[in-house]
Amino acid sequence: QQQVKQSPQSLIVQKGGISIINCAYENTAFDYFPWYQQFPGKGPALLIAIRPDVSEKKEGRFTISFNKSAKQFSLHIMDSQPGDSATYFCAARRGSARQLTFGSGTQLTVLP
Amino acid sequence: ETGVTQTPRHLVMGMTNKKSLKCEQHLGHNAMYWYKQSAKKPLELMFVYNFKEQTENNSVPSRFSPECPNSSHLFLHLHTLQPEDSALYLCASSQAVGNSGANVLTFGAGSRLTVL
């Protein structure tokens, strides 16, 4: 119940294309869903986050879509750029928990 | 320096060695974390400290021993490790657990550990 399942494991997209990464969860007590971006040789950094009272959140080219009934959320990267090439982790957190539960990561490569 | 700094960045040790990883944060945060990152696996939380007190130990083997002398420094002492312990060890910090700001983790760049 604590797992967050992330797919795909790797993704290759052409420059200008749309990158979509999906995550699914079981625990309905999760109430905060962040995405972290990790470049090679760096630690993960918070990219964007959403709470389940909204279905979508957009920041620049990055959008989280949230489907509470399906217990799924996804990250969309519009107009993908080579500089977006990184590993992306979804995560989820219960309000009272002291920890984030992370997905297994998606390695995104955007071809020039 | 700003952010979360981890040293060393790379460490190679034998199974009988004793070494330590160090983490320092300059963000004024009161919670610090150790995570283990292995290829194609979710980040695994190892330990959480809130105001220098350990609040979480995720069934981590005793060959990993954390130490948090103050809210800005965190250590991970390593002894008699196994080859399967080879991984990237990430330190993170956040506002105090229980505070809404605790949702946002700031990670260091990690210490790449290889156990021979």
Side-chain angles (χ1 to χ4, degrees):
Chain A
Q1 273 232 320
Q2 293 300 317
Q3 280 190 325
V4 177
K5 295 183 180 178
Q6 183 172 347
S7 63
Q9 193 173 89
S10 62
L11 180 62
I12 299 175
V13 173
Q14 292 286 342
K15 178 182 176 181
I18 301 174
S19 303
I20 301 174
I21 305 170
N22 300 299
C23 285
Y25 63 97
E26 290 294 326
N27 190 340
T28 55
F30 287 140
D31 62 358
Y32 174 75
F33 302 88
W35 285 88
Y36 279 77
Q37 178 189 54
Q38 184 179 27
F39 292 107
K42 304 286 186 183
L46 179 66
L47 181 63
I48 187 172
I50 197 169
R51 293 195 182 273
D53 52 345
V54 297
S55 60
E56 186 175 283
K57 183 174 182 180
K58 184 176 181 180
E59 289 184 4
R61 296 184 293 109
F62 299 90
T63 300
I64 300 179
S65 295
F66 187 84
N67 186 329
K68 189 173 182 177
S69 60
K71 291 185 284 186
Q72 295 175 347
F73 58 111
S74 59
L75 176 70
H76 297 238
I77 306 175
M78 311 301 287
D79 186 26
S80 298
Q81 299 297 312
D84 297 329
S85 297
T87 300
Y88 292 81
F89 292 92
C90 63
R93 184 173 196 153
R94 284 184 292 115
S96 60
R98 296 185 177 89
Q99 60 174 291
L100 286 170
T101 299
F102 282 89
S104 55
T106 296
Q107 187 168 350
L108 171 65
T109 302
V110 181
L111 301 176
Chain B
E1 284 204 49
T2 58
V4 179
T5 304
Q6 290 188 242
T7 55
R9 293 294 308 276
H10 300 271
L11 178 63
V12 179
M13 59 187 290
M15 293 169 61
T16 58
N17 290 159
K18 289 185 180 180
K19 297 286 184 182
S20 296
L21 306 180
K22 179 183 176 182
C23 176
E24 184 174 0
Q25 59 94 2
H26 301 271
L27 299 167
H29 289 161
N30 289 302
M32 296 189 78
Y33 311 74
W34 279 115
Y35 280 86
K36 177 182 179 181
Q37 184 176 17
S38 304
K40 298 182 174 58
K41 287 186 174 181
L43 276 68
E44 300 174 49
L45 179 67
M46 301 175 72
F47 302 103
V48 180
Y49 279 82
N50 195 42
F51 290 103
K52 303 188 299 177
E53 298 297 320
Q54 188 180 123
T55 58
E56 199 93 21
N57 176 338
N58 265 6
S59 304
V60 180
S62 59
R63 56 186 184 269
F64 295 92
S65 174
E67 178 189 0
C68 188
N70 55 61
S71 292
S72 298
H73 293 85
L74 185 65
F75 295 89
L76 188 62
H77 303 299
L78 316 169
H79 62 98
T80 59
L81 294 189
Q82 305 298 310
E84 59 264 29
D85 296 322
S86 297
L88 181 69
Y89 289 84
L90 291 164
C91 173
S93 70
S94 74
Q95 292 185 21
V97 172
N99 185 309
S100 62
N103 283 330
V104 180
L105 298 180
T106 301
F107 284 89
S111 293
R112 174 71 62 185
L113 173 66
T114 302
V115 182
L116 301 176

